[in-house]
Amino acid sequence: MHINTVNTQPYNDQKPGTSGLRKKVAVFQQPNYLENYIQATFDCMGDYAGQPIVVGGDGRFYNRPAIQVIIKIAAANGCRQLLIGHNGLLSTPAVSHLIRKHQAFGGFILSASHNPGGPDKDFGIKFNIASGSAAPEQLTDAIFARTKKIDHYFYASFDDIDLNNIQHLQIDNLTISIINTVTDYAQLMTEIFDFKLLKEVIKSKSLSLCFDAMHAVTGPYAQHILESVLGAPSGSVINAIPLEDFGGCHPDPNLTQTRRLTALMFSENAPVFGAASDGDGDRNLILGNNFYVTPSDSLAIMAANAQLIPGYHQGLSGVARSMPTSQAVDRVAQYLEIPCYETPTGWKFFGNLLDAKKITLCGEESFGSSSDHVREKDGLWAVLFWLNLIARKNKSVKEIVYEHWHKFGRNIYSRHDYEALDLILATTVFKQLRDKLSTLPNKEINGYVISDTDEFTYHDPIDGSHSKNQGLRIRFKDGSRIVYRLSGTGTVGATLRIYIERFTQDATQFDTDPQIALAPLIAIAEKLCEIKKKTGLTKPDVIT
Ligand code: G1P
Ligand code: ZN
């Protein structure tokens, strides 16, 4: 193969965020933009020559051209083996699993997760390391530093690789394997969950379900696992065909974006179980017949019931949640007498704890949960976990949640997002709140007394690293909490996230809508940062 050295100029905006480098497609399409980033990644990776590298994405617009660029740059940089998903498709958890299973050096995931796709929408790229985890901050910082200096990249000349056929190709020293998107991941799921039981209850029709793949990457996985293997009737998986623009929708599994699924689940004909996943298959939305499960509750319920699942019957070594996630799982950990870790937002912070076997389960309020089976959050894993739980307990989703609240109490919880704010305005709002944090303790607002405030810094107990500026926290004497963060994944302006939480053991409050139960705290949250006054907005863009 002929290897070209191509001169280039650095871009100064290639700093990876919460989850890789995420930009508008048009930004990635600038001359050498993607090439610079890939070459910078190869420059910082270390010795990869002897090990495979996994490549796949969520099928969004620019997925295929980006894979061709990665192939050419990998080849030119001396990579010997590439494992690439059929049609360029691999979910994020599947990439994590493939890296681990094939002892790969790492993997590239092409996705902007739940952000919309299409020529004028978003694209993204993430690099995961040999453990299957997203690159740690030291590596992403090194890549960013490299992108600011890069002046050339290496590019091999050969025809584009056909991604549509499962095959092995040899180009000089490089083996390219186009592998089945689903097989390895599906096999892993059979090793964790009770597929025999699931087949029985699905066949008996006592467990009916609807899964919304949102025209994203989980379509092929869900059709194979839920319909072909477990025997759910054909059509149980909706929006199953991956499309480059996700059918014009946001592949974000929340109640707003999953209209068809939600309409069904809140109707008279609702099946027992409903679920959805996002663009790259790492998020999950869990619904029951006329019932919605808050992600923080889902994590706590999974932790409390893990021993019913074959893969976890020996119990959990510990659990972890991101800081803004509700403290419901903390109560379960206390009950089980296992440690509970509080990490910054972003899955990468769980990696060290999982590698060190300090935790078995972990999750975030943002519709993400997973276990030590991979090093990413995993949407279909959560779906199968709930299905297995329903089958084992022979109870509805709502019954399982209420049973949990009666035992542990309810952490009433909501997140309010103000999206695409003017960057300067949003940072000013945030800074002003930060500046007054120390003056707040002991103040009483709307009958709530503030006990303490801080800005969260994480001290990683495994590698000793410190991550600062991970969110502003306001705690109240009754245990309630308000958290503020600026999003690290948006591509337009800034997004302010406000997380509100209150605990109750009063069963008469179990039926109350969180927006009503939290109304006084929500008013305090808005007042403290003056978001409405300063932006002129009247309500959040998204409430979950
Ligand atoms: C968001 C979520 C976070 C999640 C990340 C990637 O990040 O809040 O929990 O890990 O997407 O899926 P944010 O935009 O808040 O930085
Ligand atoms: Zn995702």
Side-chain angles (χ1 to χ4, degrees), residues 361-373:
L361 284 191
C362 44
E364 297 191 273
E365 49 64 43
S366 53
F367 300 88
S369 47
S370 193
S371 81
D372 56 359
H373 68 290

Side-chain angles (χ1 to χ4, degrees), residues 113-114 278-283 377:
S113 189
H114 51 290
D278 70 331
D280 60 330
D282 58 358
R283 293 188 175 205
K377 58 192 172 215

Side-chain angles (χ1 to χ4, degrees), residues 260-476:
R260 192 170 145 204
L261 171 74
T262 307
L264 175 68
M265 294 310 297
F266 288 87
S267 75
E268 275 180 17
N269 304 323
V272 172
F273 181 77
S277 190
D278 70 331
D280 60 330
D282 58 358
R283 293 188 175 205
N284 70 83
L285 167 71
I286 303 294
L287 300 170
N289 184 330
N290 285 273
F291 196 75
Y292 161 71
V293 186
T294 304
S296 296
D297 279 339
S298 175
L299 175 66
I301 291 165
M302 288 198 262
N305 294 287
Q307 275 179 304
L308 297 177
I309 308 292
Y312 310 103
H313 72 95
Q314 286 176 321
L316 309 174
S317 61
V319 290
R321 61 164 172 84
S322 68
M323 184 273 282
T325 302
S326 100
Q327 297 160 100
V329 74
D330 304 36
R331 293 172 195 283
V332 176
Q334 202 177 14
Y335 174 83
L336 296 174
E337 297 181 349
I338 55 172
C340 177
Y341 297 85
E342 186 175 45
T343 58
T345 293
W347 203 263
K348 60 187 173 208
F349 293 101
F350 295 130
N352 280 346
L353 295 168
L354 289 162
D355 288 345
K357 300 196 188 307
K358 298 276 184 206
I359 58 169
T360 314
L361 284 191
C362 44
E364 297 191 273
E365 49 64 43
S366 53
F367 300 88
S369 47
S370 193
S371 81
D372 56 359
H373 68 290
V374 286
R375 292 295 180 270
E376 288 277 4
K377 58 192 172 215
D378 189 345
L380 270 169
W381 168 89
V383 168
L384 290 165
F385 199 119
W386 268 93
L387 286 170
N388 203 154
L389 216 56
I390 296 165
R392 263 306 298 273
K393 284 180 169 272
N394 197 17
K395 287 191 170 133
S396 73
V397 172
K398 184 173 177 180
E399 283 165 347
I400 293 173
V401 174
Y402 270 67
E403 176 187 80
H404 185 88
W405 289 344
H406 280 287
K407 182 166 176 184
F408 292 97
R410 178 186 184 195
N411 287 69
I412 310 172
Y413 185 84
S414 184
R415 181 177 107 181
H416 288 202
D417 294 338
Y418 293 85
E419 292 182 338
L421 301 175
D422 175 74
L423 191 58
I424 295 174
L425 181 70
T427 31
T428 310
V429 166
F430 200 76
K431 188 178 170 302
Q432 285 176 348
L433 179 60
R434 176 192 281 140
D435 289 346
K436 72 174 178 201
L437 271 191
S438 62
T439 67
L440 296 176
N442 298 319
K443 286 219 163 108
E444 183 182 331
I445 317 175
N446 291 1
Y448 282 84
V449 182
I450 297 174
S451 57
D452 63 304
T453 60
D454 68 352
E455 181 158 26
F456 181 50
T457 297
Y458 180 57
H459 306 285
D460 187 310
I462 311 301
D463 66 15
S465 62
H466 303 296
S467 304
K468 289 189 192 155
N469 307 331
Q470 297 297 333
L472 307 180
R473 294 192 283 198
I474 298 180
R475 278 181 285 253
F476 296 85

Side-chain angles (χ1 to χ4, degrees), residues 4-14 21 31-45 69 73 77 141-155:
N4 305 292
T5 303
V6 183
N7 292 329
T8 186
Q9 306 236 313
Y11 288 89
N12 61 11
D13 65 344
Q14 298 194 315
L21 184 68
N32 299 334
Y33 192 90
L34 179 64
E35 289 82 351
N36 281 10
Y37 191 74
I38 305 293
Q39 181 65 52
T41 307
F42 272 95
D43 289 344
C44 298
M45 268 188 206
V69 168
I73 293 183
N77 280 277
D141 286 349
I143 294 170
F144 180 45
R146 179 75 195 124
T147 62
K148 289 192 282 190
K149 298 222 168 87
I150 195 161
D151 59 7
H152 67 276
Y153 60 86
F154 302 115
Y155 202 84

